[in-house]
Amino acid sequence: MGKYLIYSIVSLSAPMTYATSIFTQIENPNIFTWNTMIRGYAESENPKPAIALYCYMHVNSIEPDTHTYPFLLKAVSKVVNARVGEKIHSITIRNGFESLVFVQNSLAHMYAACGQYNSAHKLFELMPVRDLVAWNTVINGFALNGKPNEALKLYEEMGSEGLEPDGFTIVSLLSACAEIGALALGRRVHAYMVKVGLTENLHANNALLDLYAKCGSIMNAQKVFDGMGERNVVSWTSLIVGLAVNGFGMEALGHFKEMEKNGFVPSEVTFVGVLYACSHCGMVNEGFDYFKRMKEEYGIVPSMEHYGCMVDLLGRAGLVTEAYNYIQNMPLQPNAVVWRTLLGACTIHGHLALGETARSQLLQLEPKHCGDYVLISNLYASEQRWSDVHSVRRTMLSEGVRKTPGYSLVELGNRVHEFVMGDRTHPQSEAIYGMLLEISKRLRLEGYVPHTANVLADIEEEEKENALFYHSEKIAVAFMLINTPPGTPIRVVKNLRVCADCHLAIKLISKVFNREIIVRDRSRFHHFRDGSCSCRDYW
């Protein structure tokens, strides 16, 4: 009788403490009962006891069956413990269960959830039978682990084998497309959603909204949102954050007010979007008002991310001393991101003393973060302190710190092209550099003067200008100018913050070549049109 009671308790999602108290009273629980308990913990908020139960079974020679492993591996996935997962994998092989499709799928999911996407893919390739769950698991594993190109390639293989994607596949694909800014491919996925009737799927619609927002196509994001029959907090938050990072701060705050009128309760993430909108639009007082409302009206305890937004809000507005004082008075111990935000503000607004203070804190928290060396180096360069610039570079070399290489991505013909600074590996390199020369000539006629302030002082001015003109985003724009029809928008995804010179140059390129150019850098979107940018030079 006890085993059926436990099954009922677990199935009704009752507290696991109650199920455990009954379980401990059963003299010789059978494997069905053990599996039920493991499943209960695996599906609870605290999955660790599922692994402890299995270890107890193993020590006491209680033989698992085919149903034990999927539940157990689900628990391992949730606690993200690849080492335990690998041990269980070896046991499934010894026990002869590895060949079962649902065990293989659970193993692939475990590896993907633990960040070991290559192991998940290897296991997938060895499967004699691969169902839709297996394909979805590995596609999603690639998408979640920052390997969008691999996810998209696997999707193409899936199509060639005649498998039709479902809602889960669609969400993974849209996430992968959003990661690398593959708008054309994302539109194809959208068309497929319409074709098979997935436009009523809330999760797929949220992913589609997120795709358009992250590709800088905010009007399409708005259309998806307006056409949704069902919305949740994620839908509203995605639109608010999307509008904010695309430079439409007032519209983002307008939708926040509408969200409240419609009875939706904003989450912590919603307020990150709201504070971001205030920060990137220079609305300091409004930002503090929303921060206060978040705490007092909604009872949300501010996280480090919220405090970071407030430091950014003050720093972007040039209130660098106020930002430092705010950090000093925070109830949480400031982390490296907060100090890095202050250092970035000091670099932009030329506040050397506070910049060095922020840098000293960062040296204690994350001494080998390459971005901090670059920021302090740029700050010294802006103050013409070239000996300090060289000292920073020497320290980087001696400490083995390497600068993260900048790269830019553009999509053409359902393929994503990647460029790095001074890139000459592309088959069209000759044409690209010819276009860069043409751009340079035409921009100078518009009065363009390269922004060389932060380039090392010990090289000739002409070399400085060449170094700037071969930045990856300029190469990407040149590539698109020679490969797309006149008037076609150009979309670029950049992994680092766009530099001041590239920002100035791309503004002029948009005017001279009559192109809308959308650049997504690591923190926001820049919509360049007719010589101006949506950020209004406030970024």
Side-chain angles (χ1 to χ4, degrees):
M1 184 70 185
K3 68 178 183 181
Y4 296 113
L5 180 58
I6 287 175
Y7 180 77
S8 300
I9 291 167
V10 170
S11 297
L12 292 168
S13 300
M16 284 304 296
T17 49
Y18 183 37
T20 303
S21 65
I22 295 170
F23 176 73
T24 54
Q25 294 173 38
I26 301 172
E27 257 185 60
N28 294 303
N30 62 15
I31 191 60
F32 174 84
T33 313
W34 283 99
N35 287 346
T36 303
M37 288 297 294
I38 289 171
R39 174 197 151 198
Y41 277 115
E43 293 175 350
S44 72
E45 290 183 3
N46 179 24
K48 281 186 179 180
I51 300 168
L53 280 169
Y54 173 75
C55 291
Y56 182 86
M57 284 174 65
H58 188 63
V59 168
N60 288 276
S61 301
I62 300 165
E63 288 297 319
D65 66 6
T66 56
H67 298 288
T68 310
Y69 293 108
F71 300 138
L72 178 62
L73 289 164
K74 184 174 185 178
V76 175
S77 300
K78 288 174 81 172
V79 299
V80 194
N81 192 329
R83 185 171 293 180
V84 171
E86 285 167 354
K87 288 178 182 176
I88 293 166
H89 187 178
S90 65
I91 292 168
T92 64
I93 295 169
R94 280 207 306 271
N95 292 349
F97 295 139
E98 194 210 15
S99 60
L100 299 169
V101 172
F102 54 90
V103 173
Q104 289 175 335
N105 286 345
S106 299
L107 283 165
H109 173 72
M110 180 275 296
Y111 281 122
C114 293
Q116 296 194 8
Y117 50 85
N118 282 327
S119 296
H121 188 232
K122 280 177 187 173
L123 189 69
F124 170 80
E125 287 189 314
L126 293 170
M127 288 183 188
V129 178
R130 298 184 289 198
D131 60 10
L132 185 58
V133 173
W135 285 92
N136 283 346
T137 297
V138 186
I139 288 170
N140 191 51
F142 278 134
L144 289 176
N145 287 289
K147 295 291 174 181
N149 281 321
E150 288 82 349
L152 298 172
K153 184 181 175 185
L154 207 59
Y155 168 64
E156 288 175 7
E157 287 178 26
M158 177 180 163
S160 67
E161 293 199 13
L163 266 80
E164 293 289 323
D166 64 1
F168 190 86
T169 325
I170 295 300
V171 171
S172 299
L173 284 172
L174 290 171
S175 300
C177 291
E179 182 71 22
I180 56 173
L183 181 61
L185 193 52
R187 281 179 172 146
R188 275 173 52 197
V189 177
H190 186 183
Y192 180 83
M193 283 174 62
V194 174
K195 179 183 171 184
V196 298
L198 278 169
T199 50
E200 296 303 314
N201 184 305
L202 177 61
H203 299 297
N205 278 330
N206 283 342
L208 185 62
L209 195 165
D210 188 55
L211 163 86
Y212 282 127
K214 284 182 177 173
C215 288
S217 188
I218 199 65
M219 296 309 294
N220 279 320
Q222 182 75 62
K223 280 181 187 174
V224 171
F225 180 83
D226 291 341
M228 289 171 72
E230 181 189 0
R231 296 172 187 153
N232 60 7
V233 175
V234 174
S235 316
W236 285 94
T237 299
S238 295
L239 184 63
I240 289 165
V241 172
L243 286 163
V245 299
N246 275 278
F248 302 100
M250 295 305 295
E251 290 85 346
L253 297 177
H255 276 83
F256 177 74
K257 289 170 186 172
E258 194 181 337
M259 174 186 176
E260 289 182 303
K261 281 181 190 173
N262 280 273
F264 287 90
V265 178
S267 67
E268 291 182 20
V269 181
T270 315
F271 273 104
V272 170
V274 168
L275 296 175
Y276 189 100
C278 294
S279 174
H280 283 256
C281 293
M283 297 186 287
V284 177
N285 293 334
E286 292 87 343
F288 275 90
D289 288 342
Y290 279 115
F291 188 80
K292 184 180 178 183
R293 285 189 60 202
M294 177 182 76
K295 293 191 296 182
E296 295 180 2
E297 282 186 42
Y298 292 103
I300 295 173
V301 178
S303 67
M304 189 65 74
E305 198 168 359
H306 296 113
Y307 285 111
C309 284
M310 300 309 288
V311 173
D312 189 48
L313 175 74
L314 292 165
R316 283 180 189 277
L319 304 171
V320 182
T321 303
E322 290 84 344
Y324 174 71
N325 292 335
Y326 188 86
I327 293 172
Q328 295 294 92
N329 294 312
M330 275 168 49
L332 301 178
Q333 189 71 26
N335 64 6
V337 175
V338 170
W339 285 112
R340 193 167 294 125
T341 301
L342 179 65
L343 177 56
C346 291
T347 302
I348 292 165
H349 297 288
H351 206 301
L352 186 59
L354 280 182
E356 290 180 322
T357 300
R359 176 69 182 123
S360 67
Q361 293 291 332
L362 287 164
L363 283 171
Q364 294 176 43
L365 294 167
E366 289 184 12
K368 293 199 173 185
H369 191 283
C370 65
D372 302 335
Y373 285 90
V374 174
L375 285 171
I376 196 69
S377 173
N378 287 345
L379 180 54
Y380 284 138
S382 66
E383 296 286 321
Q384 306 291 306
R385 288 176 52 169
W386 301 111
S387 62
D388 289 318
V389 171
H390 286 291
S391 175
V392 170
R393 301 291 170 93
R394 282 196 299 271
T395 304
M396 284 182 75
L397 288 170
S398 65
E399 293 292 326
V401 178
R402 299 187 67 180
K403 182 180 179 291
T404 302
Y407 63 80
S408 293
L409 306 174
V410 286
E411 184 188 24
L412 182 72
N414 292 324
R415 186 185 155 204
V416 175
H417 298 258
E418 180 177 329
F419 298 96
V420 296
M421 181 178 172
D423 201 338
R424 290 186 182 270
T425 60
H426 197 277
Q428 289 183 268
S429 280
E430 193 175 333
I432 292 168
Y433 279 83
M435 175 54 77
L436 282 170
L437 189 60
E438 176 66 16
I439 291 170
S440 178
K441 288 175 182 174
R442 293 179 67 173
L443 293 197
R444 286 181 187 282
L445 292 173
E446 288 290 322
Y448 165 71
V449 176
H451 190 278
T452 60
N454 289 341
V455 183
L456 280 174
D458 59 354
I459 60 174
E460 296 297 326
E461 196 67 23
E462 186 179 344
E463 289 179 62
K464 291 184 187 182
E465 293 176 15
N466 284 340
L468 287 169
F469 224 79
Y470 296 149
H471 278 189
S472 65
E473 53 267 61
K474 292 193 183 91
I475 296 172
V477 168
F479 169 75
M480 293 300 280
L481 284 172
I482 62 177
N483 284 289
T484 55
T488 308
I490 294 171
R491 300 173 192 277
V492 181
V493 175
K494 176 80 189 282
N495 68 322
L496 304 176
R497 185 178 186 271
V498 65
C499 76
D501 181 72
C502 285
H503 193 269
L504 170 63
I506 296 172
K507 277 200 298 185
L508 290 172
I509 292 169
S510 72
K511 178 183 177 183
V512 170
F513 289 86
N514 192 27
R515 295 285 193 112
E516 180 186 6
I517 303 171
I518 301 114
V519 178
R520 173 177 130 197
D521 71 8
R522 70 179 177 195
S523 63
R524 64 165 298 149
F525 282 87
H526 298 269
H527 292 254
F528 299 95
R529 187 185 286 120
D530 196 28
S532 63
C533 180
S534 59
C535 74
R536 298 184 296 278
D537 298 336
Y538 187 87
W539 94 101

